[in-house]
Amino acid sequence: MRANFDFSPFQRSSIGFDRIFDLLENSNRNVDNWPPYNIVKLGEGAYRIMIVVAGFAEDELTITHEANTLVVNGAKSENEEIHYLHRGVALRPFVRRFELADHVLVEGAKLENGLLVIDLKKQIPEEMKPRRIAIETDMKTPASKQIEGDRAA
C-alpha cells in the first residue's frame, strides 16, 4: 500500500525539520526487497545490520557511510567461463541504503557464512550530553541573619 502525502502545510510552519520530511517522502523509494536483511538492536545505542550476500566475495562488496546514510553496494564480476545449467542464486548487482540517525557511527563490518554483518554505535558527543549545572550562591549578602546566644534577651 502506497500513500502519497503532501507535507507542504507542515513545511510552511516548521523550521529545521527538512531532513524528517525528506525521510518521510523517500521512505517509499526502497521498494526492492533484495537482498534480504535484518536490523538488530544489541543494547543501548548498539545496532547490527545483517544482509544476505551469498555468493559475493569481500572485494565485490562496498560499504560507504556518507551524511547520515549507509550505502551497501554489491556487484558480481561476470565470469564468462562458467555456463550455468540452472541459476537459482541471485547474483545481480544491488544497492541498499539505510538512513542513520545523527551521531551513529559504523564500528566495523565482516563477511561470514554468506552474511554481511555491519555493527553500528550511537555516540553522542560530550558537548551534547546532558550535564548538571552548579548553582552558585552570592557570598556577599548573607542568606539569613542569625542571632547570637549572648546578645539575645
Side-chain angles (χ1 to χ4, degrees):
M1 183 173 143
R2 184 176 174 159
N4 292 328
F5 294 106
D6 182 19
F7 295 109
S8 57
F10 299 110
Q11 290 174 332
R12 287 192 297 259
S13 62
S14 62
I15 299 170
F17 293 95
D18 301 337
R19 180 168 145 67
I20 294 172
F21 293 124
D22 290 343
L23 286 172
L24 291 170
E25 288 176 357
N26 295 335
S27 65
N28 289 329
R29 290 188 186 172
N30 242 354
V31 293
D32 185 16
N33 290 329
W34 195 84
Y37 64 93
N38 291 335
I39 300 175
V40 180
K41 184 171 184 173
L42 300 173
E44 187 65 33
Y47 304 91
R48 177 173 286 161
I49 299 172
M50 297 181 299
I51 306 172
V52 177
V53 291
F56 285 87
E58 286 182 37
D59 61 340
E60 297 168 331
L61 299 167
T62 306
I63 304 169
T64 309
H65 183 200
E66 53 188 47
N68 293 357
T69 304
L70 180 69
V71 181
V72 180
N73 288 308
K76 189 79 175 157
S77 56
E78 290 294 323
N79 188 349
E80 297 192 15
E81 296 177 5
I82 298 176
H83 299 285
Y84 291 96
L85 298 178
H86 172 75
R87 194 169 187 170
V89 178
L91 297 175
R92 65 180 184 256
F94 68 88
V95 176
R96 174 64 71 182
R97 297 182 186 280
F98 299 94
E99 293 293 328
L100 302 178
D102 293 336
H103 312 297
V104 173
L105 303 174
V106 178
E107 286 195 317
K110 58 186 171 185
L111 184 62
E112 57 182 25
N113 300 327
L115 287 175
L116 178 62
V117 178
I118 305 169
D119 290 323
L120 307 167
K121 180 88 175 170
K122 185 169 188 172
Q123 293 181 340
I124 300 175
E126 283 297 321
E127 63 269 5
M128 297 189 76
K129 289 182 179 178
R131 60 186 174 100
R132 186 173 185 155
I133 308 299
I135 301 172
E136 295 182 24
T137 58
D138 188 10
M139 300 305 264
K140 294 178 185 174
T141 58
S144 64
K145 293 186 178 184
Q146 184 176 7
I147 301 175
E148 295 179 12
D150 57 342
R151 289 190 184 174

